[in-house]
Amino acid sequence: MSSLLLDVQGLETTFKTPDGLVHAVNGVSFDLKEGETLGVVGESGCGKSVTMLSVLRLIQSPPGHIVAGKAFFLGKDLLQVSNEEIRRVRGAHISMIFQDPMTSLNPVLTIGRQIEEPLSLHLGMSRDQARRRAGELLSLVGIPKASERLGDFPHQFSGGMRQRVMIAMALSCNPTILIADEPTTALDVTIQAQIIELVKRLRDEMGMAIIWITHDLGVVAGLAQRVLVMYGGYIIEQAPVRELYAHPTHPYTIGLLGSLPAVARKEHRKLYAIDGLPPVLYEKARACPFVPRCKSAMPICWNQNPPLIEIGPEHQAACWAHSTPARPQA
């Protein structure tokens, strides 16, 4: 059995805004095993990125604040260690590929300088050693004439090439965990496929664990072993990827999968649409956060927010339809 790398328990993150306190992440718990690829899916604003940024303590404060929870990595709670210790973890042990390659790179520093910095900082390499390693990393991610391009600036690279540079930077210190925050969103489908295949190959070669954040369930199907579905700052379903696609349980997950076009499907049908709008997060949900949009809602759904309920082996869903109804709260 694979050992546990990351164990997140009861994570809560809020943001203070002029309109009120936004409860962005609400008691999220999950774990990650060695060599595992975990998909985190859900619509924009559901808390996917904020959850992972909170684990690495990259939430800007103010306005953000991690108000509760634990995040154990190799026996240490990342939410409690000193600023110096968390800086040693970031980049060296847990790396992150950020969402937009167009803005994640510093426009006034060369690509070589930006890749060399973590090598010098975390691995103590000399300038010449870091330069050679930077060239090797660019070559590893498929950039032609890699050594010659170390002196180029980000604007001299295409979007796909910039994303490859971001991957090279993330992999520079051979991290144990790679967090990829929608790394293919801004790229065309051909480049998306190349980036996904590149990450899969590097994962297999380096043996690292991956958390892949996306709103695209089609990408997750061919990449992840296990999937978390988030909605309104909560995990509302989690299961092995084959189980989730074969037997989706939560109405929101069913809607997400129903909205995917299927080329191989013989019969013709309209894509499924989830009516309504995402929840406003100025208050913690007392009822199921999905209940205003759910076509199968029961009276209890309007009174109590369901916990994750066991559906099958490693399969849980936060839906009262799969539990003996509890008495509504007074």
Tab-separated table of all heavy atoms in Angstrom, residues 287-324:
chain	number	residue	atom	x	y	z
A	287	ALA	N	-27.722	24.621	4.422
A	287	ALA	CA	-28.349	23.568	3.628
A	287	ALA	C	-27.320	23.037	2.639
A	287	ALA	O	-26.175	23.492	2.601
A	287	ALA	CB	-29.566	24.129	2.898
A	288	CYS	N	-27.694	22.061	1.845
A	288	CYS	CA	-26.819	21.589	0.773
A	288	CYS	C	-26.543	22.756	-0.171
A	288	CYS	O	-27.494	23.405	-0.634
A	288	CYS	CB	-27.482	20.434	0.023
A	288	CYS	SG	-26.583	19.951	-1.477
A	289	PRO	N	-25.288	23.062	-0.484
A	289	PRO	CA	-24.997	24.226	-1.336
A	289	PRO	C	-25.558	24.090	-2.754
A	289	PRO	O	-25.746	25.089	-3.442
A	289	PRO	CB	-23.467	24.281	-1.351
A	289	PRO	CG	-23.014	22.920	-0.958
A	289	PRO	CD	-24.065	22.372	-0.037
A	290	PHE	N	-25.851	22.855	-3.171
A	290	PHE	CA	-26.343	22.635	-4.533
A	290	PHE	C	-27.872	22.623	-4.609
A	290	PHE	O	-28.433	22.595	-5.702
A	290	PHE	CB	-25.790	21.305	-5.073
A	290	PHE	CG	-26.049	21.069	-6.530
A	290	PHE	CD1	-25.480	21.878	-7.503
A	290	PHE	CD2	-26.873	20.035	-6.954
A	290	PHE	CE1	-25.724	21.674	-8.854
A	290	PHE	CE2	-27.124	19.809	-8.292
A	290	PHE	CZ	-26.547	20.629	-9.251
A	291	VAL	N	-28.548	22.689	-3.451
A	291	VAL	CA	-29.991	22.458	-3.438
A	291	VAL	C	-30.796	23.415	-4.328
A	291	VAL	O	-31.775	22.982	-4.959
A	291	VAL	CB	-30.528	22.449	-1.978
A	291	VAL	CG1	-30.433	23.814	-1.322
A	291	VAL	CG2	-31.949	21.922	-1.926
A	292	PRO	N	-30.435	24.711	-4.484
A	292	PRO	CA	-31.253	25.565	-5.362
A	292	PRO	C	-31.219	25.134	-6.829
A	292	PRO	O	-32.102	25.516	-7.607
A	292	PRO	CB	-30.632	26.958	-5.190
A	292	PRO	CG	-29.873	26.885	-3.907
A	292	PRO	CD	-29.365	25.489	-3.841
A	293	ARG	N	-30.216	24.352	-7.219
A	293	ARG	CA	-30.076	23.942	-8.626
A	293	ARG	C	-30.413	22.467	-8.835
A	293	ARG	O	-30.302	21.960	-9.943
A	293	ARG	CB	-28.639	24.199	-9.090
A	293	ARG	CG	-28.171	25.611	-8.846
A	293	ARG	CD	-26.693	25.790	-9.140
A	293	ARG	NE	-26.404	25.802	-10.566
A	293	ARG	CZ	-25.185	25.926	-11.075
A	293	ARG	NH1	-24.148	26.035	-10.271
A	293	ARG	NH2	-25.004	25.930	-12.378
A	294	CYS	N	-30.766	21.772	-7.753
A	294	CYS	CA	-30.946	20.321	-7.811
A	294	CYS	C	-32.387	19.965	-8.156
A	294	CYS	O	-33.335	20.432	-7.508
A	294	CYS	CB	-30.547	19.695	-6.470
A	294	CYS	SG	-30.643	17.892	-6.478
A	295	LYS	N	-32.565	19.099	-9.149
A	295	LYS	CA	-33.897	18.664	-9.570
A	295	LYS	C	-34.419	17.512	-8.711
A	295	LYS	O	-35.576	17.113	-8.854
A	295	LYS	CB	-33.856	18.237	-11.043
A	295	LYS	CG	-33.488	19.376	-11.993
A	295	LYS	CD	-33.356	18.900	-13.425
A	295	LYS	CE	-32.955	20.052	-14.341
A	295	LYS	NZ	-32.749	19.611	-15.749
A	296	SER	N	-33.561	16.976	-7.831
A	296	SER	CA	-33.964	15.837	-6.994
A	296	SER	C	-33.986	16.203	-5.513
A	296	SER	O	-33.914	15.318	-4.657
A	296	SER	CB	-32.991	14.668	-7.222
A	296	SER	OG	-32.867	14.362	-8.596
A	297	ALA	N	-34.087	17.482	-5.201
A	297	ALA	CA	-33.991	17.929	-3.807
A	297	ALA	C	-35.149	17.409	-2.966
A	297	ALA	O	-36.299	17.335	-3.419
A	297	ALA	CB	-33.950	19.452	-3.750
A	298	MET	N	-34.824	17.022	-1.717
A	298	MET	CA	-35.813	16.573	-0.736
A	298	MET	C	-35.903	17.623	0.365
A	298	MET	O	-35.050	18.513	0.448
A	298	MET	CB	-35.384	15.226	-0.153
A	298	MET	CG	-35.169	14.134	-1.200
A	298	MET	SD	-34.662	12.564	-0.441
A	298	MET	CE	-33.050	13.026	0.236
A	299	PRO	N	-36.924	17.554	1.218
A	299	PRO	CA	-37.042	18.560	2.292
A	299	PRO	C	-35.796	18.693	3.155
A	299	PRO	O	-35.401	19.804	3.522
A	299	PRO	CB	-38.242	18.040	3.103
A	299	PRO	CG	-39.079	17.319	2.105
A	299	PRO	CD	-38.106	16.679	1.155
A	300	ILE	N	-35.138	17.557	3.484
A	300	ILE	CA	-33.955	17.626	4.340
A	300	ILE	C	-32.814	18.408	3.694
A	300	ILE	O	-31.989	19.016	4.373
A	300	ILE	CB	-33.487	16.198	4.718
A	300	ILE	CG1	-32.436	16.271	5.830
A	300	ILE	CG2	-32.950	15.440	3.503
A	300	ILE	CD1	-32.015	14.918	6.366
A	301	CYS	N	-32.780	18.411	2.360
A	301	CYS	CA	-31.702	19.099	1.635
A	301	CYS	C	-31.720	20.607	1.896
A	301	CYS	O	-30.687	21.263	1.801
A	301	CYS	CB	-31.812	18.834	0.137
A	301	CYS	SG	-31.795	17.075	-0.314
A	302	TRP	N	-32.921	21.137	2.220
A	302	TRP	CA	-33.043	22.568	2.475
A	302	TRP	C	-32.728	22.929	3.926
A	302	TRP	O	-32.644	24.108	4.273
A	302	TRP	CB	-34.476	23.032	2.144
A	302	TRP	CG	-34.775	22.951	0.678
A	302	TRP	CD1	-35.352	21.914	0.003
A	302	TRP	CD2	-34.503	23.946	-0.299
A	302	TRP	NE1	-35.462	22.195	-1.323
A	302	TRP	CE2	-34.946	23.442	-1.559
A	302	TRP	CE3	-33.920	25.217	-0.266
A	302	TRP	CZ2	-34.833	24.156	-2.734
A	302	TRP	CZ3	-33.817	25.940	-1.444
A	302	TRP	CH2	-34.252	25.408	-2.664
A	303	ASN	N	-32.548	21.909	4.771
A	303	ASN	CA	-32.345	22.149	6.197
A	303	ASN	C	-30.954	21.775	6.706
A	303	ASN	O	-30.484	22.348	7.678
A	303	ASN	CB	-33.386	21.365	7.012
A	303	ASN	CG	-34.788	21.863	6.779
A	303	ASN	OD1	-35.057	23.056	6.915
A	303	ASN	ND2	-35.696	20.974	6.404
A	304	GLN	N	-30.320	20.785	6.066
A	304	GLN	CA	-29.029	20.315	6.557
A	304	GLN	C	-28.063	20.109	5.397
A	304	GLN	O	-28.455	19.613	4.337
A	304	GLN	CB	-29.180	18.989	7.301
A	304	GLN	CG	-29.984	19.080	8.583
A	304	GLN	CD	-29.979	17.756	9.322
A	304	GLN	OE1	-28.969	17.058	9.368
A	304	GLN	NE2	-31.113	17.406	9.910
A	305	ASN	N	-26.810	20.495	5.631
A	305	ASN	CA	-25.752	20.264	4.649
A	305	ASN	C	-25.199	18.853	4.874
A	305	ASN	O	-24.669	18.570	5.946
A	305	ASN	CB	-24.641	21.306	4.827
A	305	ASN	CG	-23.605	21.259	3.717
A	305	ASN	OD1	-23.733	20.484	2.769
A	305	ASN	ND2	-22.582	22.075	3.831
A	306	PRO	N	-25.318	17.964	3.905
A	306	PRO	CA	-24.912	16.574	4.141
A	306	PRO	C	-23.393	16.415	4.237
A	306	PRO	O	-22.648	17.115	3.548
A	306	PRO	CB	-25.451	15.836	2.910
A	306	PRO	CG	-25.489	16.872	1.840
A	306	PRO	CD	-25.845	18.157	2.540
A	307	PRO	N	-22.936	15.485	5.075
A	307	PRO	CA	-21.511	15.137	5.082
A	307	PRO	C	-21.216	14.208	3.913
A	307	PRO	O	-22.130	13.773	3.201
A	307	PRO	CB	-21.351	14.403	6.417
A	307	PRO	CG	-22.687	13.730	6.597
A	307	PRO	CD	-23.701	14.685	6.035
A	308	LEU	N	-19.951	13.902	3.700
A	308	LEU	CA	-19.599	12.891	2.700
A	308	LEU	C	-20.047	11.528	3.218
A	308	LEU	O	-19.697	11.121	4.326
A	308	LEU	CB	-18.089	12.899	2.432
A	308	LEU	CG	-17.579	14.043	1.561
A	308	LEU	CD1	-16.057	14.130	1.618
A	308	LEU	CD2	-18.032	13.880	0.109
A	309	ILE	N	-20.833	10.828	2.419
A	309	ILE	CA	-21.443	9.556	2.802
A	309	ILE	C	-20.853	8.442	1.951
A	309	ILE	O	-20.699	8.596	0.728
A	309	ILE	CB	-22.973	9.630	2.623
A	309	ILE	CG1	-23.557	10.714	3.558
A	309	ILE	CG2	-23.628	8.272	2.881
A	309	ILE	CD1	-24.936	11.179	3.164
A	310	GLU	N	-20.514	7.315	2.564
A	310	GLU	CA	-19.944	6.176	1.845
A	310	GLU	C	-20.957	5.617	0.843
A	310	GLU	O	-22.061	5.236	1.204
A	310	GLU	CB	-19.533	5.081	2.827
A	310	GLU	CG	-18.332	5.428	3.695
A	310	GLU	CD	-17.023	5.425	2.905
A	310	GLU	OE1	-16.969	4.802	1.829
A	310	GLU	OE2	-16.053	6.055	3.380
A	311	ILE	N	-20.532	5.555	-0.428
A	311	ILE	CA	-21.359	4.972	-1.486
A	311	ILE	C	-20.847	3.586	-1.839
A	311	ILE	O	-21.616	2.672	-2.145
A	311	ILE	CB	-21.336	5.874	-2.743
A	311	ILE	CG1	-21.742	7.299	-2.396
A	311	ILE	CG2	-22.222	5.299	-3.835
A	311	ILE	CD1	-23.130	7.439	-1.817
A	312	GLY	N	-19.539	3.436	-1.815
A	312	GLY	CA	-18.882	2.179	-2.144
A	312	GLY	C	-17.421	2.279	-1.761
A	312	GLY	O	-17.003	3.270	-1.138
A	313	PRO	N	-16.598	1.300	-2.132
A	313	PRO	CA	-15.172	1.344	-1.811
A	313	PRO	C	-14.505	2.614	-2.354
A	313	PRO	O	-14.533	2.859	-3.559
A	313	PRO	CB	-14.618	0.091	-2.491
A	313	PRO	CG	-15.787	-0.831	-2.603
A	313	PRO	CD	-16.970	0.054	-2.833
A	314	GLU	N	-13.980	3.451	-1.451
A	314	GLU	CA	-13.286	4.700	-1.798
A	314	GLU	C	-14.180	5.702	-2.513
A	314	GLU	O	-13.684	6.646	-3.135
A	314	GLU	CB	-12.039	4.421	-2.648
A	314	GLU	CG	-10.985	3.578	-1.959
A	314	GLU	CD	-9.743	3.429	-2.814
A	314	GLU	OE1	-8.934	4.378	-2.843
A	314	GLU	OE2	-9.590	2.377	-3.463
A	315	HIS	N	-15.501	5.501	-2.454
A	315	HIS	CA	-16.437	6.386	-3.151
A	315	HIS	C	-17.351	7.038	-2.118
A	315	HIS	O	-18.074	6.353	-1.394
A	315	HIS	CB	-17.259	5.590	-4.167
A	315	HIS	CG	-18.101	6.445	-5.068
A	315	HIS	ND1	-18.811	5.943	-6.126
A	315	HIS	CD2	-18.333	7.788	-5.081
A	315	HIS	CE1	-19.454	6.918	-6.745
A	315	HIS	NE2	-19.171	8.053	-6.115
A	316	GLN	N	-17.302	8.369	-2.047
A	316	GLN	CA	-18.123	9.120	-1.112
A	316	GLN	C	-18.817	10.257	-1.845
A	316	GLN	O	-18.270	10.823	-2.794
A	316	GLN	CB	-17.261	9.713	0.010
A	316	GLN	CG	-16.540	8.695	0.863
A	316	GLN	CD	-15.625	9.358	1.871
A	316	GLN	OE1	-14.852	10.254	1.525
A	316	GLN	NE2	-15.710	8.940	3.119
A	317	ALA	N	-20.023	10.594	-1.385
A	317	ALA	CA	-20.761	11.715	-1.965
A	317	ALA	C	-21.536	12.427	-0.870
A	317	ALA	O	-22.058	11.784	0.044
A	317	ALA	CB	-21.713	11.235	-3.055
A	318	ALA	N	-21.596	13.760	-0.961
A	318	ALA	CA	-22.332	14.566	0.008
A	318	ALA	C	-23.743	14.788	-0.524
A	318	ALA	O	-24.066	15.835	-1.081
A	318	ALA	CB	-21.625	15.894	0.251
A	319	CYS	N	-24.590	13.755	-0.362
A	319	CYS	CA	-25.959	13.828	-0.886
A	319	CYS	C	-26.876	13.018	0.016
A	319	CYS	O	-26.626	11.835	0.267
A	319	CYS	CB	-25.995	13.291	-2.313
A	319	CYS	SG	-27.631	13.398	-3.088
A	320	TRP	N	-27.961	13.663	0.490
A	320	TRP	CA	-28.895	12.980	1.398
A	320	TRP	C	-29.631	11.844	0.709
A	320	TRP	O	-30.161	10.955	1.389
A	320	TRP	CB	-29.906	13.972	1.949
A	320	TRP	CG	-29.353	14.914	2.972
A	320	TRP	CD1	-29.352	16.276	2.912
A	320	TRP	CD2	-28.746	14.577	4.217
A	320	TRP	NE1	-28.759	16.810	4.027
A	320	TRP	CE2	-28.376	15.780	4.856
A	320	TRP	CE3	-28.444	13.372	4.851
A	320	TRP	CZ2	-27.753	15.825	6.086
A	320	TRP	CZ3	-27.814	13.402	6.089
A	320	TRP	CH2	-27.475	14.614	6.699
A	321	ALA	N	-29.674	11.826	-0.609
A	321	ALA	CA	-30.388	10.751	-1.319
A	321	ALA	C	-29.758	9.392	-1.076
A	321	ALA	O	-30.385	8.358	-1.324
A	321	ALA	CB	-30.413	11.044	-2.816
A	322	HIS	N	-28.524	9.387	-0.575
A	322	HIS	CA	-27.811	8.122	-0.374
A	322	HIS	C	-27.585	7.833	1.106
A	322	HIS	O	-26.652	7.146	1.477
A	322	HIS	CB	-26.494	8.152	-1.128
A	322	HIS	CG	-26.689	8.368	-2.591
A	322	HIS	ND1	-27.050	7.366	-3.440
A	322	HIS	CD2	-26.644	9.505	-3.330
A	322	HIS	CE1	-27.193	7.854	-4.659
A	322	HIS	NE2	-26.940	9.146	-4.628
A	323	SER	N	-28.456	8.408	1.933
A	323	SER	CA	-28.334	8.181	3.365
A	323	SER	C	-29.721	8.081	3.966
A	323	SER	O	-30.702	8.616	3.428
A	323	SER	CB	-27.569	9.335	4.032
A	323	SER	OG	-27.585	9.231	5.426
A	324	THR	N	-29.833	7.395	5.120
A	324	THR	CA	-31.086	7.411	5.857
A	324	THR	C	-31.318	8.831	6.346
A	324	THR	O	-30.491	9.400	7.065
A	324	THR	CB	-31.014	6.482	7.066
A	324	THR	OG1	-30.684	5.170	6.603
A	324	THR	CG2	-32.326	6.459	7.820
